[in-house]
């Protein structure tokens, strides 16, 4: 999806990253194996998951000022369904073009 978004040339740069929840660090190695999306580890003092009120498999979309403005949950809307994939990509592009 990153390549498709880049090809659309949105008004603001889009970078897709994963953020692992505090307490799940032991799974980091397996989560990045064979993947290209960067994975960051949340830490005490940052508490990104808490401040964003994130739940498991949430895609939190930030505006150009890095404020959360939308959430798309991948458990509810799996990307294996083409309509869900297209909806997420459209939402990201809509926000990137604001």
């Amino acid at each position: 999806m990153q390549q498709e978004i880049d090809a659309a040339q949105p008004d603001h740069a889009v970078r897709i990253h994963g953020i692992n929840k505090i307490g799940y660090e032991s799974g980091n190695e397996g989560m990045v194996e064979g993947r290209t999306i960067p994975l960051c580890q949340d830490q005490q003092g940052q508490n990104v998951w808490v401040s964003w009120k994130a739940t498991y498999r949430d895609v939190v979309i930030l505006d150009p000022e890095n404020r959360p403005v939308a959430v798309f949950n991948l458990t509810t809307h799996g990307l294996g369904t083409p309509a869900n994939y297209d909806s997420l990509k459209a939402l990201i592009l809509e926000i990137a073009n604001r």
Side-chain angles (χ1 to χ4, degrees), residues 10-81:
D11 294 341
H12 299 280
V14 172
R15 296 293 170 252
I16 299 172
H17 290 69
I19 302 177
N20 192 32
K21 187 176 183 178
I22 295 170
Y24 294 88
E25 297 84 353
S26 65
N28 284 351
E29 189 173 319
M31 280 194 285
V32 298
E33 189 173 324
R35 305 269 188 339
T36 58
I37 295 174
L39 178 68
C40 303
Q41 178 58 54
D42 200 1
Q43 299 179 0
Q44 298 294 337
Q46 297 298 318
N47 282 324
V48 173
W49 273 61
V50 172
S51 67
W52 289 354
K53 298 177 179 74
T55 61
Y56 180 65
R57 300 192 76 208
D58 275 351
V59 175
V60 179
I61 304 168
L62 309 178
D63 70 9
E65 286 78 41
N66 289 325
R67 296 176 299 214
V69 294
V71 177
F72 189 98
N73 185 274
L74 299 178
T75 299
T76 307
H77 303 79
L79 296 184
T81 302

